[in-house]
């Protein structure tokens, strides 16, 4: 174990691709931790899943047209999906979850059709779907860094609007907060998060980075600021340990990161001091209630 | 000036007429109670007034200014307080403090004056001692009380209250009505309150609006200037 860690630290000090991978993981961990907290508190986990899949056609289109429109393409199709889901539910008797299911699979299928129809291009579908953190460039890192800072600053500036519209949407709307705009801006942010997480975990697994660390934090605290910090911390730990395991055991990096996030969640689910299932069972056992 | 002016409002739900011929006003200093049987579309009417639903016909104007010419601040207590996200990670104090955001504190820190307002609001509903409790740990009645505390913390010019006393005992209800009456009389606040306690509230309210209908037709507004005259007019309507 110590030998493996020494090997990893040694490689980290020598190889820029590994440094980039760890830095990208850290940034994505923080970004997904913050955005994911609001996603799960607003009950939008399924929406997160839909948007992350819906960016695929935009990403593929950007690959075809050249990397310049990379973000624009992804945000465009992500936003189309968000608007489409709202439009279907408002103009028919189809409910939210069904509309999400239709758009999620539909947009994703369009993306796959686009990729498979481009046999001779250099679009690597595996990397888009599951990430390739070891191919993160300095430019990618800078873009991820700027988006992380912009998102965190926006959350800080509009913190009160976000918490009121999350906690009590009816009240927020009644007092004149633009709740619809807040919803759609969050959808655009989700599209951006998906794109910057593309190399790290890929579009399939990004939803895990949004939901799992935030849910883990939710089991540990009843205070929003602490939840935001814990969620980001778990995101960062998952990313760093995930990259380490991926390097040492030569396994897919994105999946490795998500497995670590899941392991932390499982541990907290059973052993968190207040809500841990096992802890509660032991408590009942010690008081003779089992 | 009127804080609320409803003019010949009609509302259809999926082509089904629900409300019709609704016209009334709420002025600064008015304490107006809105009653009607269960299912009389009282909440629907409030949601039309607040802009949460769009009237099919007629107009609703909510004043943008208060009687001092500043931005009108509206305080709203929805009918089902339990519908707020009780799983949200927040304490009672933080939730009631959110009532001050509307008072120009969206981008500023709460000052001493704000905190004093919050303390007094929590004390008025007997929840100051529970201020550090998590909202997920509260009973339905306690949630109702903190929702009222939040609206008092806002110190609005216009209160829009949808059955806010559900689950309160007689003593708490009387206290609450007195507090509202004081706000309307001494501070010129406008109050529009949906209630089923019209017998109790009659002593405090200045106006009574009742939603009534004939079998199979939409709910119509039956407006009174004085509660005391209600029974006489009410019988003549039928």
């Amino acid at each position: 174990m110590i030998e493996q860690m020494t090997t990893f630290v040694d490689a980290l000090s020598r190889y820029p691709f590994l440094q980039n991978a760890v830095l990208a993981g850290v940034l994505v961990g923080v970004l997904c931790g913050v955005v994911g907290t609001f996603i799960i508190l607003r009950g939008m986990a399924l929406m997160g899943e839909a948007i992350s899949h819906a960016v695929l056609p935009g990403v593929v289109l950007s690959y075809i047209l050249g990397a310049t429109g990379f973000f624009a393409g992804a945000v465009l199709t992500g936003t189309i999906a968000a608007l489409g889901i709202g439009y279907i539910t408002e103009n028919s008797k189809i409910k939210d979850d069904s509309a999400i299911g239709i758009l999620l699979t539909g947009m994703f299928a369009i993306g796959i059709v686009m990729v498979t129809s481009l046999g001779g291009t250099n679009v690597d579908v595996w990397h888009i779907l599951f990430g390739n953190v070891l191919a993160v460039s300095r430019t990618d890192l800078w873009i991820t860094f700027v988006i992380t800072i912009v998102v965190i600053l926006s959350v800080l500036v509009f913190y009160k609007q976000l918490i009121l519209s999350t906690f009590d949407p009816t009240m927020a709307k009644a007092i004149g907060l633009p709740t619809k705009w807040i919803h759609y801006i969050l959808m655009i942010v989700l599209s951006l998060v998906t794109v910057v997480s593309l190399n790290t975990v890929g579009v399939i697994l990004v939803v895990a980075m949004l939901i799992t660390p935030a849910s883990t934090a939710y089991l540990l605290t009843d205070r929003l600021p602490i939840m935001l910090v814990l969620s980001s911390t778990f995101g960062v730990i998952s990313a760093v340990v995930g990259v380490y395991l991926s390097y040492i055991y030569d396994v897919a990096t994105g999946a490795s990161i998500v497995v670590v996030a899941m392991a932390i969640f499982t541990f907290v689910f059973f052993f968190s001091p207040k809500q841990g299932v096992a802890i509660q069972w032991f408590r009942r056992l010690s008081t003779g209630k089992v | 000036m009127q804080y609320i002016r409803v003019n010949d409002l009609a509302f259809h739900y999926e082509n089904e007429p629900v409300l019709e011929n609704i016209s009334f006003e709420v002025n600064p200093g008015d304490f107006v109670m809105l009653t009607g049987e269960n299912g009389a579309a009282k909440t629907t009417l409030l949601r039309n007034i607040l802009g949460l639903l769009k009237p099919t016909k007629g107009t609703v104007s909510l004043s943008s200014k208060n009687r001092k010419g500043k931005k009108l601040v509206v305080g709203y207590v929805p009918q089902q307080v339990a519908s707020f996200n009780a799983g949200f990670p927040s304490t009672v104090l933080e939730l009631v403090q959110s009532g001050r955001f509307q008072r120009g504190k969206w981008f500023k820190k709460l000052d001493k004056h704000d905190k004093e307002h919050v303390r007094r609001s929590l004390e008025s509903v007997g929840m100051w001692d529970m201020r550090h409790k998590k909202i997920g740990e509260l009973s339905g009645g306690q949630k109702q009380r903190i929702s009222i505390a939040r609206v008092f913390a806002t110190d609005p010019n216009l209160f829009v209250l949808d059955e806010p006393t559900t689950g309160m005992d007689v003593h708490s209800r009387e206290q609450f009505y007195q507090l509202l009456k004081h706000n309307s009389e001494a501070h010129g606040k406008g109050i529009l309150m949906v209630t089923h306690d019209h017998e109790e509230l009659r002593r405090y309210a200045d106006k009574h609006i009742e939603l009534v209908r004939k079998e199979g037709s939409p709910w119509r507004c039956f407006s009174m200037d004085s509660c005391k005259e209600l029974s006489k007019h009410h019988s003549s309507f039928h």
Side-chain angles (χ1 to χ4, degrees), chain B residues 16 20 38-39 87 108 130 148-149 151 158 163 172 184 192 216 236:
Chain B
E16 192 70 38
E20 201 175 69
N38 282 335
K108 285 183 193 164
M130 299 177 94
I148 289 168
V151 88
L158 174 67
E163 295 187 32
S172 307
S184 71
L192 175 61
S236 68

Side-chain angles (χ1 to χ4, degrees), chain A residues 38 41-42 157-158 160-164 166-171 173-175 177 218 221-225 227 274, chain B residues 47 50 52 74 76 78 84-85 87-91 94-95 98 101-102 105-110 134-135 137 150:
Chain A
F38 288 102
L41 290 177
R42 294 169 83 95
V157 171
F158 298 106
K160 289 175 180 172
Q161 287 86 343
L162 262 175
I163 59 172
L164 196 61
T166 303
F167 164 71
D168 197 343
T170 312
M171 164 86 175
K173 207 172 167 189
I175 65 168
L177 272 189
Y218 190 47
T221 181
D222 289 315
R223 302 288 311 281
L224 183 60
M227 186 175 164
K274 272 190 185 169
Chain B
R47 291 173 73 87
L50 291 166
L52 300 172
V74 180
Y76 173 49
F84 68 44
N85 183 354
F88 193 83
S90 164
T91 62
E94 286 168 337
L95 181 128
S98 73
F101 295 169
Q102 274 173 276
K105 295 296 155 77
W106 286 113
F107 299 104
K108 285 183 193 164
K109 271 190 165 183
L110 301 189
K134 311 291 182 296
I135 55 170
E137 298 168 358
R150 180 172 60 172

Side-chain angles (χ1 to χ4, degrees), chain B residues 112-181:
Chain B
K112 261 188 180 174
H113 173 71
D114 297 310
K115 286 177 183 167
E116 180 57 21
H117 242 297
V118 169
R119 187 183 61 77
R120 272 192 275 131
S121 307
L122 274 167
E123 280 173 351
S124 74
V125 296
M127 291 289 286
W128 175 247
D129 291 340
M130 299 177 94
R131 63 191 179 281
H132 296 306
K133 218 166 177 183
K134 311 291 182 296
I135 55 170
E137 298 168 358
L138 302 178
S139 69
Q142 288 168 334
K143 280 179 197 158
Q144 188 84 23
R145 277 148 72 186
I146 58 165
S147 193
I148 289 168
R150 180 172 60 172
V151 88
F152 279 125
T154 304
D155 190 21
N157 308 115
L158 174 67
F159 288 82
V160 179
L161 312 165
D162 195 352
E163 295 187 32
T165 53
T166 309
M168 273 192 204
D169 57 40
V170 181
H171 177 67
S172 307
R173 281 204 299 269
E174 284 292 329
Q175 265 189 331
F176 177 58
Y177 297 150
Q178 281 167 13
L179 201 54
L180 286 177
K181 185 71 183 165

Side-chain angles (χ1 to χ4, degrees), chain A residues 57-247:
Chain A
V59 170
V60 177
L61 197 68
S62 308
Y63 266 110
I64 298 166
L65 299 174
T68 46
F70 198 67
F71 283 92
V75 170
L76 180 73
T77 50
T79 311
I80 288 172
L83 291 171
I85 290 162
Y87 189 78
I88 290 172
T89 49
E90 279 166 27
N91 292 286
S92 71
K93 59 180 182 182
I94 306 289
K95 289 190 175 155
D96 245 14
D97 56 342
S98 303
I100 289 172
I102 293 164
L103 265 292
L104 183 157
T105 47
M107 298 289 279
F108 193 67
I110 292 172
I112 296 293
V113 166
M114 285 167 74
V115 174
T116 47
S117 67
L118 301 164
T121 68
N122 60 354
V123 176
D124 190 334
V125 71
W126 178 266
H127 286 169
I128 295 174
L129 299 184
F130 300 105
N132 181 19
V133 76
L134 302 178
V136 174
S137 68
R138 281 277 154 181
T139 315
D140 293 336
L141 258 187
W142 275 112
I143 293 170
T144 310
F145 178 72
V146 169
I147 288 180
T148 306
I149 295 296
V150 169
V151 169
I152 289 173
L153 282 179
S154 307
V155 167
L156 288 176
V157 171
F158 298 106
Y159 186 73
K160 289 175 180 172
Q161 287 86 343
L162 262 175
I163 59 172
L164 196 61
S165 65
T166 303
F167 164 71
D168 197 343
T170 312
M171 164 86 175
K173 207 172 167 189
I175 65 168
L177 272 189
T179 48
K180 259 195 176 171
W181 276 104
I182 294 173
H183 173 81
Y184 286 118
I185 289 170
L186 209 56
M187 293 301 99
I188 291 173
V189 168
L190 257 180
S191 310
L192 283 173
V193 170
T194 306
V195 182
V196 296
S197 309
L198 209 72
N199 277 325
T200 319
V201 280
V203 297
I204 301 269
L205 296 176
V206 64
V207 76
M209 285 304 280
L210 284 164
I211 295 167
T212 313
S215 300
T216 311
Y218 190 47
L219 290 177
L220 288 169
T221 181
D222 289 315
R223 302 288 311 281
L224 183 60
I226 298 172
M227 186 175 164
L228 284 163
V229 172
L230 280 179
S231 174
S232 300
T233 308
F234 291 136
V236 169
I237 292 171
S238 307
V240 174
V241 176
V243 172
Y244 163 77
L245 293 176
S246 157
Y247 182 80

